[in-house]
Amino acid sequence: MKIRIWMGTVFAALVLLGSSVAFAGPGVAFSLGEGFTVGEGDTQRTDFNLEALVYYGIGIIRADLGLLFNVENPDSDIILRPGARVYVPGILYGRVAFPVAMSGDGNWGFMMGIGKNLLNLAALKLFVEVDATFWEQVNFSDVVPLEARVGLEIGF
């Protein structure tokens, strides 16, 4: 019982500490990404893409909704990426999302990544991120796209 109370106190302290360090409230972010796919004995470059993201942050947690557009092949499916980011103040953040292809086939998956704010000017941030996406259509592991992103975040 004492351990649960102690763990709850530590969690509450982290959220309160994070709220003074991390930006709280709504915002938007735009990032450019490119990477490669690993699997099936072949490595291929992925198309250059743009992600537009809206978020709402409370403390160290940000709920976000992203739209991923393929810049090189505009006729490709738009990918919807609802998810969240959890910040370790001053160090990095972890990101999870559940991407869904906005097409008739209903391809969906699980994405996880890590990122870091490189430049923090209060409401304006420059960030980098590395993500891996596991798609249901390829059994979550046959082909795994890895991508690096660089972006700009604007908090309101």
Side-chain angles (χ1 to χ4, degrees), residues 5-29:
I5 293 171
W6 181 80
M7 288 175 61
T9 305
V10 168
F11 179 75
L14 284 172
V15 169
L16 291 174
L17 173 65
S19 65
S20 65
V21 176
F23 182 79
V28 295

Side-chain angles (χ1 to χ4, degrees), residues 3 7 16 34 43 45 47 61 79 141 147 155:
I3 291 175
M7 288 175 61
L16 291 174
E34 186 176 30
T43 301
R45 177 185 150 302
D47 290 339
I61 299 172
I79 307 294
S141 62
E147 67 181 1

